[in-house]
Amino acid sequence: DVFSSEPARDAEHIENLLIMLRSAASPQAAGLVSSAFHKDVLEPFAKVLDDPHAETRAAMALSVLMGTTI
């Protein structure tokens, strides 16, 4: 699950996000990071939204959340 009300779990998610962002700068890791983010974060979030444009809406919302986190 992507969202949690447990602080320790939230810290783990933030750490994972930071690892993904740092790894994205590597040409070798970029594809893996993109695939993992899509599978582990974007798709589960989009499934929560009942909308024909759920993935686009999820991507936009996650962009704002990641920017705020960073």
Side-chain angles (χ1 to χ4, degrees):
D1 71 300
V2 177
F3 307 101
S4 170
S5 61
E6 302 171 32
R9 187 105 184 190
D10 291 342
E12 179 184 337
H13 286 297
I14 291 170
E15 184 62 30
N16 289 343
L17 171 62
L18 292 174
I19 290 169
M20 290 174 69
L21 289 173
R22 289 179 188 126
S23 299
S26 164
Q28 294 84 9
L32 294 171
V33 169
S34 177
S35 178
F37 183 80
H38 195 272
K39 177 181 157 261
D40 297 336
V41 180
L42 184 61
E43 286 180 6
F45 188 23
K47 285 180 184 177
V48 173
L49 306 174
D50 185 22
D51 183 273
H53 305 288
E55 194 165 306
T56 300
R57 290 179 59 210
M60 291 172 64
L62 287 168
S63 295
V64 172
L65 290 171
M66 286 191 304
T68 303
T69 299
I70 295 168

